[in-house]
Amino acid sequence: TTLMKRMAYWCIAKTGGTYAGIIYGLITLGILINLLVPSTLTGIALIGIAYGICQALELGKTKASAGIMIATMMGFLEAGNFIYTPNGIGVLFGIASTITPLPLGYVDFFVQNIVFIPLCYVLGLMTILLMRPEQPIDSKNYFVEQLQTMPPVTKAEKKVMLILISLLLFLLTTSFHGIDMMYGFLIAPFILFFPGFQIGEKADIANVNFGTLIFITACMSIGSAANAVGIGPVFSQTVLPILENANHFVFIGSVWLIIMLGNFLMTPGAEFAVFSPPLVQICLDLGVNPYPVLYTLYEATNNLLFPYESTLWIITFGFGNIYLKDFMKVMGCKMIICLAYLLVLGIPYWLLIGLLS
């Protein structure tokens, strides 16, 4: 459907169509699209729209183009810090739960991490300052015209929106109906194939990337295997003497640094499997709530210096309109800002709401 493109044009038109407006608009779209369709493929589609905008504005391979592409992906990925995604924080908690049950609700996750919403726009401002174009951009009329020339919303798109909004309402009300929210993520796509909807086709099922499902299962199995052979207690006994007398800021900051450095060697999924079980074990041994530690682990996997460290980032870089030096400059500054934000606002917020004590 054209829903994502419509949302992109609408967001940018509302934010003014300037260079800053384009970046803030696409960051906002990244947050909204995570509310509706939290998926890796959604991120790929979103970065495709950002690339199309760069092409339409004839930005070429420039700092301005790099800024738009990088900010778009940052907005999409950073939204996972406060919006539950089954292929992100859901996988992490699934692996970590091999040590001890760690139930996580959609609303609870949002409330416990709402403090990270402004971080998306702080990173947007950072990108604007670092990647500002040589000539001002004023493209509001272009996006308004594109929005006006798009065909009317089809019945299929209306049906898709109905399903997505229903899924969101289901997730927001899990504390009332008590049904595991994973059923919502599973059932919503199947409704597309039901009589009366008939949006999905047989070819869609045939084109499912089962390799990704096998990979996720394998990552979760690594965690289970590590727990079965006792890696968690061994890691805990090794690191425990170092962290047992550390305050919350040193403890959380150390976890963030370990995971960030691990990005050079492992993908986020691999780090979920390798680090989450022993970190949960350490938290249990020290009497620390594992939730903020796992939230920190997840946030740290989004901080990298080279695009090869993550699938979505290498796809973003692969469009060919970003110089590596620009990528490293923006992402290096992002690391500093994210760590400072965690220490100055994230940890105090968790202390305030009683998640850390």
Side-chain angles (χ1 to χ4, degrees), residues 6-7 9 12 22 43-44 55 59 86 96 103 112 115 117 128 178 202 226 228 250 253 303 313-314 336 339 350:
R6 291 179 191 274
M7 292 173 66
Y9 292 161
I12 296 173
I22 293 171
I44 295 173
Q55 293 296 95
L59 295 178
Q112 291 170 4
V115 69
I117 293 178
I128 293 167
K202 184 178 180 180
V250 174
N303 282 276
W313 279 117
I314 201 168
I336 298 172
L339 178 57
W350 289 332

Side-chain angles (χ1 to χ4, degrees), residues 34 75-85 88-89 109 120 298 302:
N34 267 288
F76 178 79
L77 291 174
E78 292 300 315
N81 292 330
F82 51 87
I83 297 175
Y84 183 95
T85 53
I89 198 72
F109 178 63
C120 295
Y298 183 80
N302 287 328

Side-chain angles (χ1 to χ4, degrees), residues 139-323:
S139 58
K140 181 175 181 178
N141 290 337
Y142 168 79
F143 291 105
V144 171
E145 290 172 3
Q146 290 295 313
L147 193 58
Q148 292 175 343
T149 56
M150 292 189 74
V153 178
T154 65
K155 289 183 179 179
E157 290 175 333
K158 292 178 180 178
K159 292 176 181 178
V160 170
M161 283 302 300
L162 176 62
I163 293 172
L164 294 178
I165 292 173
S166 299
L167 172 60
L168 180 59
L169 292 174
F170 172 83
L171 296 173
L172 292 174
T173 56
T174 51
S175 60
F176 296 100
H177 54 65
I179 302 173
D180 192 319
M181 61 182 174
M182 282 301 173
Y183 286 109
F185 290 114
L186 290 171
I187 294 173
F190 283 101
I191 297 177
L192 296 172
F193 296 85
F194 287 1
F197 288 92
Q198 296 175 321
I199 299 170
E201 300 176 354
K202 184 178 180 180
D204 296 322
I205 297 178
N207 292 331
V208 170
N209 187 355
F210 289 100
T212 300
L213 301 179
I214 294 172
F215 173 75
I216 292 174
T217 304
C219 287
M220 297 182 72
S221 299
I222 292 172
S224 299
N227 182 42
V229 299
I231 294 297
V234 172
F235 184 89
S236 176
Q237 291 169 9
T238 303
V239 179
L240 191 60
I242 302 173
L243 297 179
E244 61 181 348
N245 295 320
N247 59 40
H248 293 306
F249 293 88
V250 174
F251 187 97
I252 296 293
S254 299
V255 170
W256 190 96
L257 288 172
I258 291 170
I259 302 305
M260 184 275 292
L261 292 173
N263 288 333
F264 289 99
L265 302 175
M266 291 177 280
T267 63
E271 289 198 87
F272 291 171
V274 171
F275 289 110
S276 63
L279 281 174
V280 170
Q281 185 65 53
I282 289 173
C283 290
L284 294 177
D285 294 342
L286 293 177
V288 176
N289 189 337
Y291 282 79
V293 175
L294 292 174
Y295 297 156
T296 299
L297 188 160
Y298 183 80
E299 199 277 337
T301 58
N302 287 328
N303 282 276
L304 43 85
L305 196 60
F306 300 101
Y308 77 83
E309 299 173 40
S310 170
T311 301
L312 282 175
W313 279 117
I314 201 168
I315 290 174
T316 302
F317 188 80
F319 275 92
N321 60 345
I322 305 174
Y323 286 106

